[in-house]
Amino acid sequence: MKICTLSSGSKGNCTYVESGGCALLIDQGLSLRELERRATEVGLDLAKVRMIAVTHEHIDHIKGVQAFCDKYGVEAFISPLSAAAAYRKYAVTSIVQTPSFDTGIALDEMYITPFRVHHDAAYTVGYQIEDGKKIFCAATDLGYVTASAGKRMSKADAVLLESNHDKFMLENGKYPYALKLRIAGREGHLSNDDAASVGVKLVQAGVKRLILAHLSQDNNTPPTAYNTVVSAMTAAHIVQGRDVMVDIAYQSEPSLITEIV
């Protein structure tokens, strides 16, 4: 299984997952032109994409979904509540019809299973993707990690986990008080400290790769997120590079293609 985060953050999210020559996108919050530019930059073939799995209807996750579906002739796997709540300008009309969204869907040799996370959208989910050999979980835009979501992620080989903000930077930053409360709340975004605590538990459960995602451009920095998580792991006697690989997903550029082995 191959993974590449093409964009991660409040200005657009998109993650490419491929197995056996078939691929899907988790979210598509970029313009089509920018997505194609980034895919070309790292050598991804978007013609392999056969579906977009949408986590929720916020613009940074759904903005480019329908444009991609129109050009590449694919459909989106999205909860009915998220589809209904989408801003009309970015409405998704090419939707995979399934008896039940929550039970998941097969895509060639991959099986995609949504799991609920807490965020202030109509119906926010993370995704578990398994291909019979490896398991990848993606969970961003969550105020906290529930026991059920944590259990799901703990079974994965690799996890894309939100590490949105540094608490001190958020508290002392320029955002209005109400927005600070929203971000730090139980339906907002996961802090670096919370990501570190969850990350330690995931690695202790067997996760081998952790990708820190959805970093705030105003209330975080890649070194701050990385150091917070790795310091917590060091304190728990987990060695970066031996017990786990910790990476960062960036807003303005794609990551290198990662193969889960």
Side-chain angles (χ1 to χ4, degrees):
M1 187 184 295
K2 296 179 181 179
I3 303 165
C4 180
T5 56
L6 290 159
S7 183
S8 184
S10 61
K11 293 182 179 179
N13 295 272
C14 187
T15 300
Y16 175 97
V17 184
E18 178 184 336
S19 181
C22 172
L24 72 133
L25 300 179
I26 300 176
D27 292 329
Q28 209 307 69
L30 296 171
S31 70
L32 187 56
R33 177 180 294 181
E34 180 62 15
L35 174 66
E36 291 174 334
R37 186 192 70 78
R38 294 189 188 195
T40 299
E41 182 180 326
V42 290
L44 295 178
D45 182 4
L46 293 178
K48 293 181 179 179
V49 174
R50 290 176 47 197
M51 191 176 73
I52 304 176
V54 181
T55 61
H56 63 294
E57 76 278 3
H58 287 168
I59 290 174
D60 54 323
H61 296 260
I62 204 171
K63 176 181 177 180
V65 170
Q66 190 57 48
F68 187 94
C69 290
D70 288 342
K71 179 169 182 178
Y72 288 89
V74 303
E75 293 181 316
F77 183 61
I78 182 173
S79 79
L81 287 175
S82 290
Y87 180 46
R88 184 168 55 185
K89 182 178 179 181
Y90 302 117
V92 179
T93 57
S94 300
I95 299 174
V96 177
Q97 299 300 319
T98 59
S100 172
F101 171 78
D102 292 301
T103 57
I105 189 170
L107 183 68
D108 199 29
E109 64 185 36
M110 292 185 282
Y111 200 86
I112 299 96
T113 307
F115 56 92
R116 288 297 307 276
V117 298
H118 281 262
H119 188 56
D120 55 359
Y123 198 88
T124 310
V125 300
Y127 281 105
Q128 173 186 283
I129 300 171
E130 48 189 325
D131 64 359
K133 299 176 183 178
K134 297 296 178 181
I135 299 174
F136 169 63
C137 278
T140 64
D141 295 68
L142 65 167
Y144 70 103
V145 176
T146 64
S148 58
K151 184 176 181 180
R152 179 82 65 172
M153 289 188 283
S154 69
K155 297 178 181 179
D157 298 284
V159 175
L160 180 77
L161 179 68
E162 180 168 60
S163 191
N164 176 258
H165 61 276
D166 173 80
K167 290 181 178 179
F168 179 83
M169 291 176 67
L170 177 64
E171 290 170 2
N172 294 278
K174 63 183 180 181
Y175 284 8
Y177 181 66
L179 180 56
K180 292 179 182 181
L181 288 180
R182 172 189 173 265
I183 292 169
R186 287 172 68 82
E187 292 190 342
H189 293 276
L190 210 64
S191 71
N192 293 339
D193 291 334
D194 291 336
S197 177
V198 172
V200 166
K201 294 176 182 177
L202 293 180
V203 175
Q204 290 172 336
V207 173
K208 295 299 183 184
R209 185 174 290 271
L210 192 66
I211 305 167
L212 305 179
H214 216 297
L215 275 65
S216 169
Q217 291 185 300
D218 296 314
N219 303 303
N220 209 354
T221 68
T224 301
Y226 179 89
N227 290 335
T228 300
V229 172
V230 172
S231 293
M233 291 185 176
T234 300
H237 308 291
I238 296 168
V239 179
Q240 152 72 342
R242 184 194 69 187
D243 303 317
V244 64
M245 291 295 296
V246 180
D247 298 313
I248 298 285
Y250 294 95
Q251 176 74 90
S252 59
E253 62 187 53
S255 68
L256 296 176
I257 299 172
T258 297
E259 186 161 5
I260 308 175
V261 295

